[in-house]
PDB file of all heavy atoms in Angstrom:
ATOM      1  N   THR A   1     109.322  45.034 -82.055  1.00  0.00           N
ATOM      2  CA  THR A   1     109.411  44.119 -83.197  1.00  0.00           C
ATOM      3  C   THR A   1     108.042  43.784 -83.767  1.00  0.00           C
ATOM      4  O   THR A   1     107.911  43.517 -84.962  1.00  0.00           O
ATOM      5  CB  THR A   1     110.148  42.838 -82.775  1.00  0.00           C
ATOM      6  OG1 THR A   1     111.399  43.197 -82.188  1.00  0.00           O
ATOM      7  CG2 THR A   1     110.400  41.928 -83.948  1.00  0.00           C
ATOM      8  N   PHE A   2     107.020  43.795 -82.919  1.00  0.00           N
ATOM      9  CA  PHE A   2     105.668  43.444 -83.356  1.00  0.00           C
ATOM     10  C   PHE A   2     104.792  44.693 -83.519  1.00  0.00           C
ATOM     11  O   PHE A   2     103.572  44.599 -83.464  1.00  0.00           O
ATOM     12  CB  PHE A   2     105.024  42.486 -82.354  1.00  0.00           C
ATOM     13  CG  PHE A   2     105.631  41.109 -82.356  1.00  0.00           C
ATOM     14  CD1 PHE A   2     106.870  40.871 -81.779  1.00  0.00           C
ATOM     15  CD2 PHE A   2     104.962  40.040 -82.933  1.00  0.00           C
ATOM     16  CE1 PHE A   2     107.440  39.604 -81.774  1.00  0.00           C
ATOM     17  CE2 PHE A   2     105.513  38.766 -82.937  1.00  0.00           C
ATOM     18  CZ  PHE A   2     106.754  38.553 -82.358  1.00  0.00           C
ATOM     19  N   ALA A   3     105.409  45.842 -83.770  1.00  0.00           N
ATOM     20  CA  ALA A   3     104.650  47.091 -83.857  1.00  0.00           C
ATOM     21  C   ALA A   3     103.603  47.043 -84.961  1.00  0.00           C
ATOM     22  O   ALA A   3     102.469  47.528 -84.790  1.00  0.00           O
ATOM     23  CB  ALA A   3     105.609  48.265 -84.079  1.00  0.00           C
ATOM     24  N   ALA A   4     103.942  46.459 -86.109  1.00  0.00           N
ATOM     25  CA  ALA A   4     102.975  46.387 -87.204  1.00  0.00           C
ATOM     26  C   ALA A   4     101.799  45.488 -86.843  1.00  0.00           C
ATOM     27  O   ALA A   4     100.645  45.764 -87.231  1.00  0.00           O
ATOM     28  CB  ALA A   4     103.657  45.868 -88.472  1.00  0.00           C
ATOM     29  N   GLU A   5     102.080  44.404 -86.097  1.00  0.00           N
ATOM     30  CA  GLU A   5     100.993  43.516 -85.662  1.00  0.00           C
ATOM     31  C   GLU A   5     100.056  44.234 -84.705  1.00  0.00           C
ATOM     32  O   GLU A   5      98.832  44.036 -84.731  1.00  0.00           O
ATOM     33  CB  GLU A   5     101.580  42.270 -84.991  1.00  0.00           C
ATOM     34  CG  GLU A   5     102.602  41.500 -85.823  1.00  0.00           C
ATOM     35  CD  GLU A   5     102.007  40.989 -87.115  1.00  0.00           C
ATOM     36  OE1 GLU A   5     101.189  40.053 -87.067  1.00  0.00           O
ATOM     37  OE2 GLU A   5     102.358  41.543 -88.169  1.00  0.00           O
ATOM     38  N   LEU A   6     100.635  45.076 -83.848  1.00  0.00           N
ATOM     39  CA  LEU A   6      99.817  45.860 -82.926  1.00  0.00           C
ATOM     40  C   LEU A   6      99.023  46.914 -83.681  1.00  0.00           C
ATOM     41  O   LEU A   6      97.852  47.165 -83.377  1.00  0.00           O
ATOM     42  CB  LEU A   6     100.712  46.511 -81.866  1.00  0.00           C
ATOM     43  CG  LEU A   6     101.327  45.538 -80.857  1.00  0.00           C
ATOM     44  CD1 LEU A   6     102.606  46.114 -80.246  1.00  0.00           C
ATOM     45  CD2 LEU A   6     100.333  45.210 -79.762  1.00  0.00           C
ATOM     46  N   GLY A   7      99.667  47.530 -84.683  1.00  0.00           N
ATOM     47  CA  GLY A   7      98.975  48.535 -85.473  1.00  0.00           C
ATOM     48  C   GLY A   7      97.800  47.966 -86.242  1.00  0.00           C
ATOM     49  O   GLY A   7      96.751  48.624 -86.395  1.00  0.00           O
ATOM     50  N   ALA A   8      97.949  46.742 -86.714  1.00  0.00           N
ATOM     51  CA  ALA A   8      96.870  46.080 -87.455  1.00  0.00           C
ATOM     52  C   ALA A   8      95.860  45.421 -86.522  1.00  0.00           C
ATOM     53  O   ALA A   8      94.880  44.832 -86.985  1.00  0.00           O
ATOM     54  CB  ALA A   8      97.457  45.038 -88.401  1.00  0.00           C
ATOM     55  N   ARG A   9      96.113  45.496 -85.222  1.00  0.00           N
ATOM     56  CA  ARG A   9      95.251  44.918 -84.190  1.00  0.00           C
ATOM     57  C   ARG A   9      95.116  43.403 -84.303  1.00  0.00           C
ATOM     58  O   ARG A   9      94.112  42.835 -83.883  1.00  0.00           O
ATOM     59  CB  ARG A   9      93.879  45.596 -84.166  1.00  0.00           C
ATOM     60  CG  ARG A   9      93.992  47.043 -83.681  1.00  0.00           C
ATOM     61  CD  ARG A   9      92.678  47.765 -83.633  1.00  0.00           C
ATOM     62  NE  ARG A   9      92.880  49.124 -83.111  1.00  0.00           N
ATOM     63  CZ  ARG A   9      91.982  50.100 -83.203  1.00  0.00           C
ATOM     64  NH1 ARG A   9      90.819  49.860 -83.808  1.00  0.00           N
ATOM     65  NH2 ARG A   9      92.245  51.287 -82.714  1.00  0.00           N
ATOM     66  N   ARG A  10      96.152  42.795 -84.880  1.00  0.00           N
ATOM     67  CA  ARG A  10      96.260  41.343 -84.749  1.00  0.00           C
ATOM     68  C   ARG A  10      96.729  41.007 -83.340  1.00  0.00           C
ATOM     69  O   ARG A  10      96.503  39.916 -82.835  1.00  0.00           O
ATOM     70  CB  ARG A  10      97.216  40.784 -85.808  1.00  0.00           C
ATOM     71  CG  ARG A  10      96.657  40.865 -87.218  1.00  0.00           C
ATOM     72  CD  ARG A  10      97.550  40.173 -88.234  1.00  0.00           C
ATOM     73  NE  ARG A  10      98.754  40.938 -88.514  1.00  0.00           N
ATOM     74  CZ  ARG A  10      98.857  41.835 -89.482  1.00  0.00           C
ATOM     75  NH1 ARG A  10      97.826  42.109 -90.266  1.00  0.00           N
ATOM     76  NH2 ARG A  10     100.004  42.473 -89.694  1.00  0.00           N
ATOM     77  N   LEU A  11      97.390  41.976 -82.717  1.00  0.00           N
ATOM     78  CA  LEU A  11      97.740  41.943 -81.300  1.00  0.00           C
ATOM     79  C   LEU A  11      97.189  43.189 -80.635  1.00  0.00           C
ATOM     80  O   LEU A  11      97.258  44.284 -81.216  1.00  0.00           O
ATOM     81  CB  LEU A  11      99.259  41.907 -81.102  1.00  0.00           C
ATOM     82  CG  LEU A  11     100.015  40.640 -81.486  1.00  0.00           C
ATOM     83  CD1 LEU A  11     101.524  40.884 -81.379  1.00  0.00           C
ATOM     84  CD2 LEU A  11      99.616  39.478 -80.585  1.00  0.00           C
ATOM     85  N   VAL A  12      96.655  43.025 -79.427  1.00  0.00           N
ATOM     86  CA  VAL A  12      96.143  44.167 -78.664  1.00  0.00           C
ATOM     87  C   VAL A  12      96.656  44.047 -77.240  1.00  0.00           C
ATOM     88  O   VAL A  12      96.495  42.993 -76.599  1.00  0.00           O
ATOM     89  CB  VAL A  12      94.607  44.199 -78.657  1.00  0.00           C
ATOM     90  CG1 VAL A  12      94.104  45.377 -77.810  1.00  0.00           C
ATOM     91  CG2 VAL A  12      94.055  44.276 -80.079  1.00  0.00           C
ATOM     92  N   CYS A  13      97.271  45.101 -76.739  1.00  0.00           N
ATOM     93  CA  CYS A  13      97.728  45.097 -75.344  1.00  0.00           C
ATOM     94  C   CYS A  13      96.549  45.398 -74.431  1.00  0.00           C
ATOM     95  O   CYS A  13      95.869  46.424 -74.571  1.00  0.00           O
ATOM     96  CB  CYS A  13      98.828  46.135 -75.144  1.00  0.00           C
ATOM     97  SG  CYS A  13      99.491  46.137 -73.462  1.00  0.00           S
ATOM     98  N   LEU A  14      96.316  44.498 -73.470  1.00  0.00           N
ATOM     99  CA  LEU A  14      95.173  44.621 -72.557  1.00  0.00           C
ATOM    100  C   LEU A  14      95.563  45.176 -71.196  1.00  0.00           C
ATOM    101  O   LEU A  14      94.692  45.486 -70.381  1.00  0.00           O
ATOM    102  CB  LEU A  14      94.524  43.245 -72.375  1.00  0.00           C
ATOM    103  CG  LEU A  14      94.051  42.554 -73.660  1.00  0.00           C
ATOM    104  CD1 LEU A  14      93.607  41.132 -73.357  1.00  0.00           C
ATOM    105  CD2 LEU A  14      92.929  43.347 -74.316  1.00  0.00           C
ATOM    106  N   GLY A  15      96.864  45.266 -70.923  1.00  0.00           N
ATOM    107  CA  GLY A  15      97.328  45.755 -69.627  1.00  0.00           C
ATOM    108  C   GLY A  15      97.772  44.620 -68.725  1.00  0.00           C
ATOM    109  O   GLY A  15      97.834  43.446 -69.126  1.00  0.00           O
ATOM    110  N   GLU A  16      98.074  44.953 -67.496  1.00  0.00           N
ATOM    111  CA  GLU A  16      98.556  43.962 -66.533  1.00  0.00           C
ATOM    112  C   GLU A  16      97.399  43.163 -65.945  1.00  0.00           C
ATOM    113  O   GLU A  16      96.293  43.682 -65.766  1.00  0.00           O
ATOM    114  CB  GLU A  16      99.312  44.643 -65.393  1.00  0.00           C
ATOM    115  CG  GLU A  16     100.619  45.294 -65.813  1.00  0.00           C
ATOM    116  CD  GLU A  16     101.337  45.911 -64.629  1.00  0.00           C
ATOM    117  OE1 GLU A  16     100.693  46.114 -63.573  1.00  0.00           O
ATOM    118  OE2 GLU A  16     102.544  46.189 -64.751  1.00  0.00           O
ATOM    119  N   GLY A  17      97.682  41.891 -65.634  1.00  0.00           N
ATOM    120  CA  GLY A  17      96.734  41.089 -64.884  1.00  0.00           C
ATOM    121  C   GLY A  17      96.830  41.395 -63.399  1.00  0.00           C
ATOM    122  O   GLY A  17      97.784  42.030 -62.943  1.00  0.00           O
ATOM    123  N   PRO A  18      95.850  40.953 -62.605  1.00  0.00           N
ATOM    124  CA  PRO A  18      95.834  41.308 -61.185  1.00  0.00           C
ATOM    125  C   PRO A  18      96.779  40.488 -60.315  1.00  0.00           C
ATOM    126  O   PRO A  18      97.188  40.951 -59.246  1.00  0.00           O
ATOM    127  CB  PRO A  18      94.382  41.054 -60.780  1.00  0.00           C
ATOM    128  CG  PRO A  18      93.936  39.963 -61.715  1.00  0.00           C
ATOM    129  CD  PRO A  18      94.646  40.224 -63.013  1.00  0.00           C
ATOM    130  N   ASP A  19      97.131  39.269 -60.729  1.00  0.00           N
ATOM    131  CA  ASP A  19      97.933  38.384 -59.885  1.00  0.00           C
ATOM    132  C   ASP A  19      99.407  38.789 -59.910  1.00  0.00           C
ATOM    133  O   ASP A  19      99.939  39.229 -60.940  1.00  0.00           O
ATOM    134  CB  ASP A  19      97.814  36.933 -60.340  1.00  0.00           C
ATOM    135  CG  ASP A  19      96.474  36.319 -59.994  1.00  0.00           C
ATOM    136  OD1 ASP A  19      95.649  37.020 -59.380  1.00  0.00           O
ATOM    137  OD2 ASP A  19      96.251  35.133 -60.336  1.00  0.00           O
ATOM    138  N   GLU A  20     100.057  38.603 -58.761  1.00  0.00           N
ATOM    139  CA  GLU A  20     101.495  38.847 -58.678  1.00  0.00           C
ATOM    140  C   GLU A  20     102.241  37.519 -58.776  1.00  0.00           C
ATOM    141  O   GLU A  20     101.811  36.499 -58.225  1.00  0.00           O
ATOM    142  CB  GLU A  20     101.847  39.553 -57.366  1.00  0.00           C
ATOM    143  CG  GLU A  20     101.308  40.974 -57.311  1.00  0.00           C
ATOM    144  CD  GLU A  20     101.846  41.742 -56.114  1.00  0.00           C
ATOM    145  OE1 GLU A  20     102.040  41.116 -55.046  1.00  0.00           O
ATOM    146  OE2 GLU A  20     102.079  42.964 -56.240  1.00  0.00           O
ATOM    147  N   TYR A  21     103.362  37.543 -59.480  1.00  0.00           N
ATOM    148  CA  TYR A  21     104.166  36.358 -59.737  1.00  0.00           C
ATOM    149  C   TYR A  21     105.590  36.576 -59.263  1.00  0.00           C
ATOM    150  O   TYR A  21     106.089  37.706 -59.257  1.00  0.00           O
ATOM    151  CB  TYR A  21     104.187  36.038 -61.233  1.00  0.00           C
ATOM    152  CG  TYR A  21     102.871  35.553 -61.795  1.00  0.00           C
ATOM    153  CD1 TYR A  21     101.881  36.463 -62.172  1.00  0.00           C
ATOM    154  CD2 TYR A  21     102.618  34.194 -61.966  1.00  0.00           C
ATOM    155  CE1 TYR A  21     100.669  36.021 -62.703  1.00  0.00           C
ATOM    156  CE2 TYR A  21     101.407  33.742 -62.496  1.00  0.00           C
ATOM    157  CZ  TYR A  21     100.446  34.670 -62.861  1.00  0.00           C
ATOM    158  OH  TYR A  21      99.256  34.240 -63.376  1.00  0.00           O
ATOM    159  N   GLN A  22     106.234  35.478 -58.887  1.00  0.00           N
ATOM    160  CA  GLN A  22     107.635  35.497 -58.473  1.00  0.00           C
ATOM    161  C   GLN A  22     108.458  34.735 -59.511  1.00  0.00           C
ATOM    162  O   GLN A  22     108.129  33.586 -59.832  1.00  0.00           O
ATOM    163  CB  GLN A  22     107.793  34.817 -57.111  1.00  0.00           C
ATOM    164  CG  GLN A  22     109.223  34.693 -56.623  1.00  0.00           C
ATOM    165  CD  GLN A  22     109.810  36.028 -56.198  1.00  0.00           C
ATOM    166  OE1 GLN A  22     109.091  36.900 -55.727  1.00  0.00           O
ATOM    167  NE2 GLN A  22     111.103  36.183 -56.378  1.00  0.00           N
ATOM    168  N   PRO A  23     109.501  35.347 -60.077  1.00  0.00           N
ATOM    169  CA  PRO A  23     110.329  34.610 -61.034  1.00  0.00           C
ATOM    170  C   PRO A  23     111.079  33.466 -60.361  1.00  0.00           C
ATOM    171  O   PRO A  23     111.562  33.596 -59.238  1.00  0.00           O
ATOM    172  CB  PRO A  23     111.296  35.673 -61.572  1.00  0.00           C
ATOM    173  CG  PRO A  23     111.352  36.713 -60.510  1.00  0.00           C
ATOM    174  CD  PRO A  23     109.999  36.721 -59.866  1.00  0.00           C
ATOM    175  N   GLN A  24     111.170  32.331 -61.061  1.00  0.00           N
ATOM    176  CA  GLN A  24     111.890  31.171 -60.554  1.00  0.00           C
ATOM    177  C   GLN A  24     113.348  31.205 -61.025  1.00  0.00           C
ATOM    178  O   GLN A  24     113.765  32.128 -61.728  1.00  0.00           O
ATOM    179  CB  GLN A  24     111.188  29.901 -61.025  1.00  0.00           C
ATOM    180  CG  GLN A  24     109.735  29.813 -60.574  1.00  0.00           C
ATOM    181  CD  GLN A  24     109.597  29.797 -59.066  1.00  0.00           C
ATOM    182  OE1 GLN A  24     109.820  28.788 -58.411  1.00  0.00           O
ATOM    183  NE2 GLN A  24     109.213  30.930 -58.485  1.00  0.00           N
ATOM    184  N   GLN A  25     114.120  30.185 -60.650  1.00  0.00           N
ATOM    185  CA  GLN A  25     115.536  30.162 -61.011  1.00  0.00           C
ATOM    186  C   GLN A  25     115.756  30.243 -62.511  1.00  0.00           C
ATOM    187  O   GLN A  25     116.763  30.784 -62.968  1.00  0.00           O
ATOM    188  CB  GLN A  25     116.179  28.871 -60.487  1.00  0.00           C
ATOM    189  CG  GLN A  25     116.447  28.863 -58.999  1.00  0.00           C
ATOM    190  CD  GLN A  25     116.972  27.508 -58.576  1.00  0.00           C
ATOM    191  OE1 GLN A  25     116.233  26.552 -58.465  1.00  0.00           O
ATOM    192  NE2 GLN A  25     118.263  27.427 -58.361  1.00  0.00           N
ATOM    193  N   SER A  26     114.831  29.692 -63.282  1.00  0.00           N
ATOM    194  CA  SER A  26     114.988  29.699 -64.733  1.00  0.00           C
ATOM    195  C   SER A  26     114.681  31.058 -65.348  1.00  0.00           C
ATOM    196  O   SER A  26     114.762  31.223 -66.561  1.00  0.00           O
ATOM    197  CB  SER A  26     114.085  28.627 -65.361  1.00  0.00           C
ATOM    198  OG  SER A  26     112.730  28.864 -65.011  1.00  0.00           O
ATOM    199  N   VAL A  27     114.299  32.031 -64.541  1.00  0.00           N
ATOM    200  CA  VAL A  27     114.109  33.443 -64.873  1.00  0.00           C
ATOM    201  C   VAL A  27     112.816  33.698 -65.668  1.00  0.00           C
ATOM    202  O   VAL A  27     112.082  34.637 -65.372  1.00  0.00           O
ATOM    203  CB  VAL A  27     115.333  34.020 -65.634  1.00  0.00           C
ATOM    204  CG1 VAL A  27     115.124  35.493 -65.962  1.00  0.00           C
ATOM    205  CG2 VAL A  27     116.598  33.857 -64.817  1.00  0.00           C
ATOM    206  N   ARG A  28     112.515  32.863 -66.662  1.00  0.00           N
ATOM    207  CA  ARG A  28     111.336  33.132 -67.493  1.00  0.00           C
ATOM    208  C   ARG A  28     110.084  32.407 -67.013  1.00  0.00           C
ATOM    209  O   ARG A  28     109.032  32.526 -67.637  1.00  0.00           O
ATOM    210  CB  ARG A  28     111.625  32.748 -68.943  1.00  0.00           C
ATOM    211  CG  ARG A  28     111.958  31.278 -69.126  1.00  0.00           C
ATOM    212  CD  ARG A  28     112.158  30.906 -70.587  1.00  0.00           C
ATOM    213  NE  ARG A  28     112.740  29.574 -70.701  1.00  0.00           N
ATOM    214  CZ  ARG A  28     112.834  28.900 -71.837  1.00  0.00           C
ATOM    215  NH1 ARG A  28     112.389  29.434 -72.944  1.00  0.00           N
ATOM    216  NH2 ARG A  28     113.387  27.711 -71.857  1.00  0.00           N
ATOM    217  N   THR A  29     110.185  31.629 -65.955  1.00  0.00           N
ATOM    218  CA  THR A  29     109.025  30.916 -65.411  1.00  0.00           C
ATOM    219  C   THR A  29     108.580  31.600 -64.124  1.00  0.00           C
ATOM    220  O   THR A  29     109.397  31.921 -63.266  1.00  0.00           O
ATOM    221  CB  THR A  29     109.362  29.443 -65.144  1.00  0.00           C
ATOM    222  OG1 THR A  29     109.753  28.825 -66.369  1.00  0.00           O
ATOM    223  CG2 THR A  29     108.160  28.705 -64.586  1.00  0.00           C
ATOM    224  N   TRP A  30     107.272  31.765 -63.983  1.00  0.00           N
ATOM    225  CA  TRP A  30     106.702  32.545 -62.888  1.00  0.00           C
ATOM    226  C   TRP A  30     105.811  31.675 -62.002  1.00  0.00           C
ATOM    227  O   TRP A  30     104.978  30.926 -62.496  1.00  0.00           O
ATOM    228  CB  TRP A  30     105.865  33.690 -63.447  1.00  0.00           C
ATOM    229  CG  TRP A  30     106.612  34.645 -64.311  1.00  0.00           C
ATOM    230  CD1 TRP A  30     106.815  34.540 -65.662  1.00  0.00           C
ATOM    231  CD2 TRP A  30     107.246  35.859 -63.910  1.00  0.00           C
ATOM    232  NE1 TRP A  30     107.538  35.618 -66.109  1.00  0.00           N
ATOM    233  CE2 TRP A  30     107.814  36.442 -65.059  1.00  0.00           C
ATOM    234  CE3 TRP A  30     107.377  36.505 -62.674  1.00  0.00           C
ATOM    235  CZ2 TRP A  30     108.507  37.644 -65.016  1.00  0.00           C
ATOM    236  CZ3 TRP A  30     108.074  37.708 -62.638  1.00  0.00           C
ATOM    237  CH2 TRP A  30     108.632  38.263 -63.794  1.00  0.00           C
ATOM    238  N   PHE A  31     105.969  31.858 -60.685  1.00  0.00           N
ATOM    239  CA  PHE A  31     105.106  31.208 -59.699  1.00  0.00           C
ATOM    240  C   PHE A  31     104.088  32.234 -59.197  1.00  0.00           C
ATOM    241  O   PHE A  31     104.446  33.364 -58.851  1.00  0.00           O
ATOM    242  CB  PHE A  31     105.949  30.695 -58.526  1.00  0.00           C
ATOM    243  CG  PHE A  31     105.153  30.017 -57.445  1.00  0.00           C
ATOM    244  CD1 PHE A  31     104.682  28.725 -57.613  1.00  0.00           C
ATOM    245  CD2 PHE A  31     104.873  30.680 -56.254  1.00  0.00           C
ATOM    246  CE1 PHE A  31     103.946  28.102 -56.608  1.00  0.00           C
ATOM    247  CE2 PHE A  31     104.144  30.071 -55.249  1.00  0.00           C
ATOM    248  CZ  PHE A  31     103.683  28.768 -55.429  1.00  0.00           C
ATOM    249  N   ASN A  32     102.841  31.837 -59.154  1.00  0.00           N
ATOM    250  CA  ASN A  32     101.766  32.743 -58.765  1.00  0.00           C
ATOM    251  C   ASN A  32     101.740  32.864 -57.237  1.00  0.00           C
ATOM    252  O   ASN A  32     101.342  31.928 -56.542  1.00  0.00           O
ATOM    253  CB  ASN A  32     100.426  32.224 -59.292  1.00  0.00           C
ATOM    254  CG  ASN A  32      99.309  33.238 -59.168  1.00  0.00           C
ATOM    255  OD1 ASN A  32      99.201  33.945 -58.170  1.00  0.00           O
ATOM    256  ND2 ASN A  32      98.460  33.308 -60.191  1.00  0.00           N
ATOM    257  N   VAL A  33     102.159  34.015 -56.703  1.00  0.00           N
ATOM    258  CA  VAL A  33     102.189  34.208 -55.249  1.00  0.00           C
ATOM    259  C   VAL A  33     100.853  34.716 -54.725  1.00  0.00           C
ATOM    260  O   VAL A  33     100.577  34.616 -53.531  1.00  0.00           O
ATOM    261  CB  VAL A  33     103.330  35.166 -54.829  1.00  0.00           C
ATOM    262  CG1 VAL A  33     104.676  34.530 -55.112  1.00  0.00           C
ATOM    263  CG2 VAL A  33     103.216  36.516 -55.515  1.00  0.00           C
ATOM    264  N   THR A  34     100.021  35.262 -55.600  1.00  0.00           N
ATOM    265  CA  THR A  34      98.676  35.672 -55.190  1.00  0.00           C
ATOM    266  C   THR A  34      97.789  34.462 -54.944  1.00  0.00           C
ATOM    267  O   THR A  34      97.059  34.394 -53.961  1.00  0.00           O
ATOM    268  CB  THR A  34      98.038  36.577 -56.263  1.00  0.00           C
ATOM    269  OG1 THR A  34      98.857  37.736 -56.447  1.00  0.00           O
ATOM    270  CG2 THR A  34      96.628  36.990 -55.853  1.00  0.00           C
ATOM    271  N   ASN A  35      97.883  33.490 -55.834  1.00  0.00           N
ATOM    272  CA  ASN A  35      97.113  32.249 -55.711  1.00  0.00           C
ATOM    273  C   ASN A  35      98.031  31.089 -56.087  1.00  0.00           C
ATOM    274  O   ASN A  35      98.078  30.689 -57.257  1.00  0.00           O
ATOM    275  CB  ASN A  35      95.877  32.280 -56.604  1.00  0.00           C
ATOM    276  CG  ASN A  35      94.957  31.102 -56.351  1.00  0.00           C
ATOM    277  OD1 ASN A  35      95.372  30.081 -55.787  1.00  0.00           O
ATOM    278  ND2 ASN A  35      93.703  31.225 -56.760  1.00  0.00           N
ATOM    279  N   PRO A  36      98.778  30.533 -55.123  1.00  0.00           N
ATOM    280  CA  PRO A  36      99.771  29.493 -55.430  1.00  0.00           C
ATOM    281  C   PRO A  36      99.199  28.218 -56.038  1.00  0.00           C
ATOM    282  O   PRO A  36      99.958  27.403 -56.571  1.00  0.00           O
ATOM    283  CB  PRO A  36     100.405  29.206 -54.062  1.00  0.00           C
ATOM    284  CG  PRO A  36     100.197  30.443 -53.269  1.00  0.00           C
ATOM    285  CD  PRO A  36      98.844  30.938 -53.708  1.00  0.00           C
ATOM    286  N   ARG A  37      97.897  28.039 -55.970  1.00  0.00           N
ATOM    287  CA  ARG A  37      97.297  26.841 -56.563  1.00  0.00           C
ATOM    288  C   ARG A  37      97.108  26.994 -58.074  1.00  0.00           C
ATOM    289  O   ARG A  37      96.838  26.012 -58.768  1.00  0.00           O
ATOM    290  CB  ARG A  37      95.956  26.527 -55.888  1.00  0.00           C
ATOM    291  CG  ARG A  37      96.074  26.284 -54.383  1.00  0.00           C
ATOM    292  CD  ARG A  37      94.727  25.976 -53.750  1.00  0.00           C
ATOM    293  NE  ARG A  37      94.241  24.664 -54.143  1.00  0.00           N
ATOM    294  CZ  ARG A  37      94.565  23.535 -53.538  1.00  0.00           C
ATOM    295  NH1 ARG A  37      95.398  23.551 -52.503  1.00  0.00           N
ATOM    296  NH2 ARG A  37      94.069  22.380 -53.946  1.00  0.00           N
TER     297      ARG A  37
END
């Protein structure tokens, strides 16, 4: 849906971050299991 924004470089994909997250019951909220603080 945002292909044009990516093409214009208003958005740029940087790749994955290093921390691992666990999805919570609400599905879209993530708990940081690499660094729980």
Side-chain angles (χ1 to χ4, degrees):
T1 307
F2 290 75
E5 306 299 289
L6 290 156
R9 292 180 178 165
R10 290 186 286 269
L11 290 173
V12 178
C13 183
L14 303 172
E16 293 182 343
D19 287 359
E20 292 189 325
Y21 291 83
Q22 176 72 31
Q24 301 299 282
Q25 284 175 284
S26 58
V27 180
R28 61 176 168 169
T29 300
W30 300 88
F31 180 77
N32 191 320
V33 293
T34 301
N35 188 341
R37 301 180 71 85

